[in-house]
Amino acid sequence: MEKEKEKTGHHLRLALRAAMHQRSHSISYVANCVGISQNYLSELMRGDKPLENVSDKHLRAFATYLGVPPVAGFVLAGRLDASDFLEEVPPLEERLAKALSTVCASPSAAEAQIQESDLATLPVPVKMLIVLLYQQAQQADVFRPSQAWWESRRIVFQD
């Protein structure tokens, strides 16, 4: 557990040390830039104080000092990681089953009296072809893993 805490923010500490060395800046200079005390920055740099407790405002200030976007400060501090930006893609079979369910719910499938059970025994390449043909005909993407959260929600801003 202690090692895990030690790792949190390690990349930010390294980046700050490198930037300070390259620019010949002192701890007091950087502390002044960030808006914290020299003593507190020293404790952060030694790992005596955890970087996960640093305020968002100060993480943004660290990012500004490093010359990187604010989100990079949060990544370097260990507050964000790749999983915060990427979504897990369900297995092909799961996505294919969901897409075929959409195809079978269509008026065309109902007219042709096609049931999901009729398609279950088909080989994967044939199922894929059916989904791709449906997408082309309907001009709809039914095979995507998911929509990003900001695309799938309607947000109404009010004054």
Side-chain angles (χ1 to χ4, degrees), residues 54-159:
V54 173
S55 72
D56 291 356
K57 172 186 165 189
H58 292 122
L59 279 180
R60 285 183 178 87
F62 281 131
T64 299
Y65 174 76
L66 293 171
V68 297
V71 70
F74 287 84
V75 171
L76 289 169
R79 291 249 193 105
L80 296 172
D81 60 32
S83 66
D84 294 315
F85 298 96
L86 306 172
E87 61 182 315
E88 192 173 314
V89 178
L92 173 66
E93 293 78 18
E94 187 179 318
R95 293 184 1 233
L96 198 51
K98 186 176 177 182
L100 283 172
S101 180
T102 301
V103 171
C104 289
S106 71
S108 302
E111 185 180 317
Q113 298 180 345
I114 296 175
Q115 304 292 318
E116 282 187 61
S117 58
D118 298 331
L119 304 177
T121 58
L122 295 174
V124 170
V126 175
K127 291 178 183 179
M128 192 72 162
L129 181 60
I130 291 169
V131 169
L132 293 173
L133 288 170
Y134 176 82
Q135 286 187 158
Q136 185 67 31
Q138 298 299 316
Q139 297 292 306
D141 190 357
V142 297
F143 195 63
R144 272 189 172 190
S146 70
Q147 294 292 322
W149 69 268
W150 55 83
E151 291 177 2
S152 63
R153 289 166 177 73
R154 290 179 180 237
I155 300 173
V156 178
F157 293 98
Q158 297 178 356
D159 292 331

